[in-house]
Amino acid sequence: MTFGLHVNHVLVLWFCVLRGSEETCTSVCLCIADTVSCSASGLSKLPLSLPSFSVTLDLSHNHLSWLSPGSFNTMSRLENLRVAHNQISSLGHGVFYNVSSLRHLDLSSNKLHIVEQHYFQGLWRLEELLLFNNKITQVEAGTFNGLSSLKKAYFSLNQITHFPFFSIQDHSHPFLTMLDLSSNRITTLPWENVKDLPGLVQRGLYLHNNSLICDCDMYSVFWHWELRGYNTLKDFMDEHTCTIYGDPRTSIQFLRRTRFFNNCTVEKAVSQPVTVLLSTVLVSEGERVRLDCQTSLSGTDVSFTWLSPTKGYITEASINDTLISLFPNGTLEIQAAKVNDSGLYVCTALDVKQALNATREINVTVVLPEAQPFNTGYTTLLGCIVTMVLILMYLYLTPCRCSWCKQPKPPVIPIATYDPTTLTSVFSDATREQPKIQTNKQVAFMELMTSDEGT
Ligand SMILES: *[C@@H]1O[C@H](CO)[C@@H](O)[C@H](O)[C@H]1NC(C)=O
Ligand SMILES: *[C@@H]1O[C@H](CO)[C@@H](O)[C@H](O)[C@H]1NC(C)=O
Ligand SMILES: *[C@@H]1O[C@H](CO)[C@@H](O)[C@H](O)[C@H]1NC(C)=O
Ligand SMILES: *[C@@H]1O[C@H](CO)[C@@H](O)[C@H](O)[C@H]1NC(C)=O
Ligand SMILES: *[C@@H]1O[C@H](CO)[C@@H](O)[C@H](O)[C@H]1NC(C)=O
Ligand SMILES: *[C@@H]1O[C@H](CO)[C@@H](O)[C@H](O)[C@H]1NC(C)=O
Ligand SMILES: *[C@@H]1O[C@H](CO)[C@@H](O)[C@H](O)[C@H]1NC(C)=O
Ligand SMILES: *[C@@H]1O[C@H](CO)[C@@H](O)[C@H](O)[C@H]1NC(C)=O
């Protein structure tokens, strides 16, 4: 009895909680399953109690100017937060306290002017950060600390002059493949830091439509990216401009008009073999993979280093794993590829004597082996066994008082014609018969049960 009462109490309480959140919802916002939309509701302050069950919260197109500490701290399931098109100029400390489940944060089209390093602290699951079309002039150095799941960050259409490239390092943000800094006010970049960015970040770095000043260091970096065929350049060929001596009237499209850079020392690099070849490899899990590092460099002075997505740098000396080997000719061999071995493998061949580098990139995709053939084989086998058992049951368990009668039994015939070559057809016929037998048995069983209940 007491147990029943308790359950009742809990149910009533739960119902009240649900009702309560529904009420806060209907007044300003709209709740659809786990999505709460308060967009374009004329809000200048956050609603007092936001439903804690929401996974998606849309607050865009309102008049919010400030998000206070702990604004969302009861929303432990929140994954998508949209606050675009508001008037937010800064965020308090701990705004995202207790919302570490956040994966998608849209603060675009607001009035943020400085991105302070505490803004996104603790959001270690954050994958997408949208900050375009604000008034951002500065991004503080520690902003990206701990954002280890970050995949895409959009800073376009701001007034950024400096960006903390040095805080993005080889293993700090392993999934970052897009960093959009286009349409800002960058005049010069710390090119050494930019060249040190992880390969995937360089490949996804957008820098067009800034106020870059033409010089050889800048040109050299873009020249290498163009050589690698990065889409970030190809897609915005004409928007890559720089100004001569910083004079806005002398803006040139530097990917098209390369004559200005004829005197740059980049020409020396041109004569060096800086070939980057990107190829793709597709294998099934468990297969052996060999990744060749064929570059223009050869000879005994060439040493090879691989950068793998899961194991980091691999050199001949660093291997202590029997599942992976690096041959003297640079070929990397993985004995049995796993799905999580997928990713971009970068090989660098270094000729110490001639001081030459060459790089080779291979995009490896490991897929699970096709399950289909195995499954059908397995089900056929299972089908066979079940059918055999059913046929045997049919033969031996059916009450047949005239075993002395010489009547031929039709179901016996398929077994008599057993032959490996006709196996499938025999058994597929038999499987088609199987439901009939089953239903018969089931009906008999049901009858038995109902008569049992009746008594
Ligand atoms: C954060 O969440 C935990 C558990 O979800 C809760 O106990 C705690 O009170 C929350 N903190 C704040 C400041 O609301
Ligand atoms: C270039 O940036 C300016 C602002 O810096 C912006 O107004 C303009 O639309 C951008 N142009 C393109 C083609 O993106
Ligand atoms: C390149 O060097 C030549 C000779 O030193 C000089 O005449 C020319 O003006 C230079 N070009 C540029 C764009 O600086
Ligand atoms: C291999 O080397 C790494 C670092 O050098 C070390 O952390 C790891 O424990 C080693 N593994 C084995 C199996 O020796
Ligand atoms: C490198 O050496 C390995 C082992 O000797 C060989 O299997 C592989 O084919 C070689 N790769 C190239 C590109 O010659
Ligand atoms: C990759 O998957 C295997 C099992 O499939 C697991 O043992 C291993 O720890 C995983 N490695 C990483 C880096 O996630
Ligand atoms: C080769 O690459 C290494 C590492 O990126 C670099 O330090 C070195 O200067 C490069 N050497 C040449 C000749 O480009
Ligand atoms: C590698 O291949 C996968 C699957 O084909 C693709 O989704 C991914 O974008 C590729 N990565 C690069 C860097 O090309």
Side-chain angles (χ1 to χ4, degrees):
M1 276 304 269
T2 44
F3 178 71
L5 270 176
H6 275 234
V7 168
N8 269 351
H9 274 116
V10 170
L11 276 181
V12 167
L13 264 176
W14 180 235
F15 198 64
C16 287
V17 167
L18 277 184
R19 289 286 307 239
S21 50
E22 255 174 41
E23 274 159 29
T24 63
C25 220
T26 43
S27 59
V28 224
C29 309
L30 196 66
C31 294
I32 309 119
D34 58 5
T35 296
V36 178
S37 171
C38 319
S39 79
S41 309
L43 297 175
S44 53
K45 276 197 292 184
L46 281 187
L48 269 182
S49 62
L50 286 161
S52 61
F53 56 79
S54 82
V55 172
T56 298
L57 174 62
D58 189 352
L59 292 162
S60 47
H61 293 279
N62 281 299
H63 310 297
L64 302 172
S65 58
W66 156 258
L67 295 177
S68 55
S71 291
F72 309 101
N73 67 8
T74 54
M75 311 183 79
S76 56
R77 286 163 62 187
L78 196 62
E79 288 182 15
N80 308 299
L81 178 60
R82 304 195 185 111
V83 206
H85 292 280
N86 276 281
Q87 310 287 320
I88 295 168
S89 58
S90 68
L91 303 177
H93 275 265
V95 168
F96 302 115
Y97 193 78
N98 253 10
V99 266
S100 61
S101 52
L102 209 57
R103 301 206 311 200
H104 177 100
L105 175 60
D106 186 354
L107 283 163
S108 64
S109 301
N110 273 286
K111 297 206 163 131
L112 291 170
H113 48 92
I114 292 177
V115 178
E116 293 174 40
Q117 64 174 33
H118 66 83
Y119 277 11
F120 310 117
Q121 293 308 290
L123 298 183
W124 61 274
R125 285 202 185 99
L126 193 67
E127 293 173 10
E128 268 192 338
L129 177 61
L130 281 69
L131 288 169
F132 60 84
N133 196 25
N134 273 278
K135 303 257 179 290
I136 301 169
T137 55
Q138 196 191 337
V139 179
E140 286 189 353
T143 302
F144 294 98
N145 291 356
L147 302 185
S148 54
S149 302
L150 198 61
K151 292 180 176 167
K152 298 181 174 184
Y154 299 83
F155 286 91
S156 183
L157 291 165
N158 279 295
Q159 293 151 20
I160 298 171
T161 52
H162 295 88
F163 191 84
F165 289 105
F166 59 86
S167 66
I168 295 165
Q169 286 174 355
D170 251 334
H171 298 293
S172 61
H173 303 84
F175 307 105
L176 189 61
T177 53
M178 145 108 57
L179 178 57
D180 185 1
L181 287 166
S182 62
S183 301
N184 274 288
R185 296 202 181 151
I186 298 171
T187 53
T188 182
L189 269 77
W191 296 113
E192 285 309 314
N193 293 341
V194 172
K195 279 192 270 185
D196 284 346
L197 286 172
L200 287 176
V201 179
Q202 290 190 40
R203 185 181 284 274
L205 179 60
Y206 289 81
L207 286 170
H208 59 274
N209 195 22
N210 269 287
S211 325
L212 293 173
I213 295 175
C214 308
D215 69 27
C216 289
D217 287 343
M218 178 214 92
Y219 185 66
S220 156
V221 170
F222 281 96
W223 184 86
H224 279 92
W225 288 342
E226 196 179 13
L227 194 70
R228 292 172 184 220
Y230 290 175
N231 288 333
T232 50
L233 271 66
K234 272 197 242 164
D235 296 346
F236 297 96
M237 221 55 183
D238 294 337
E239 284 82 10
H240 278 88
T241 55
C242 66
T243 56
I244 299 168
Y245 308 124
D247 183 347
R249 287 168 301 179
T250 58
S251 171
I252 59 170
Q253 295 174 335
F254 64 83
L255 295 179
R256 302 238 185 250
R257 292 179 53 196
T258 58
R259 207 157 35 92
F260 179 79
F261 302 97
N262 278 350
N263 288 359
C264 287
T265 46
V266 68
E267 289 301 328
K268 280 187 190 151
V270 178
S271 59
Q272 287 184 357
V274 254
T275 29
V276 176
L277 300 162
L278 176 67
S279 46
T280 51
V281 168
L282 181 73
V283 290
S284 297
E285 185 163 78
E287 275 181 20
R288 188 172 65 181
V289 192
R290 275 196 179 162
L291 306 176
D292 288 336
C293 185
Q294 282 169 305
T295 63
S296 47
L297 302 182
S298 61
T300 47
D301 293 328
V302 183
S303 64
F304 299 91
T305 308
W306 282 89
L307 176 60
S308 94
T310 46
K311 297 187 173 65
Y313 284 101
I314 301 173
T315 59
E316 240 170 317
S318 77
I319 290 183
N320 59 0
D321 186 345
T322 51
L323 296 175
I324 249 186
S325 18
L326 179 57
F327 298 118
N329 62 9
T331 297
L332 184 75
E333 184 181 88
I334 301 170
Q335 285 300 337
K338 298 197 194 71
V339 170
N340 56 14
D341 285 330
S342 301
L344 194 69
Y345 287 72
V346 181
C347 174
T348 307
L350 180 63
D351 187 334
V352 193
K353 270 204 182 140
Q354 298 184 57
L356 296 179
N357 277 355
T359 314
R360 168 115 211 179
E361 300 182 0
I362 304 179
N363 185 3
V364 177
T365 308
V366 183
V367 294
L368 285 171
E370 278 206 15
Q372 206 50 37
F374 171 77
N375 265 351
T376 39
Y378 187 71
T379 25
T380 315
L381 186 71
L382 200 74
C384 289
I385 293 168
V386 168
T387 315
M388 286 295 262
V389 168
L390 283 172
I391 289 171
L392 289 175
M393 276 170 69
Y394 187 82
L395 290 180
Y396 289 97
L397 297 184
T398 325
C400 179
R401 289 197 185 103
C402 63
S403 52
W404 55 84
C405 316
K406 294 280 182 268
Q407 274 174 2
K409 285 182 184 111
V412 185
I413 296 164
I415 297 175
T417 60
Y418 180 93
D419 170 19
T421 53
T422 59
L423 189 65
T424 44
S425 63
V426 166
F427 280 108
S428 53
D429 279 346
T431 24
R432 252 181 257 139
E433 271 174 25
Q434 176 192 328
K436 209 165 81 193
I437 299 168
Q438 242 178 358
T439 39
N440 284 344
K441 296 267 173 195
Q442 224 168 347
V443 169
F445 183 60
M446 290 277 280
E447 271 169 5
L448 219 142
M449 271 186 60
T450 40
S451 62
D452 247 341
E453 267 174 33
T455 54

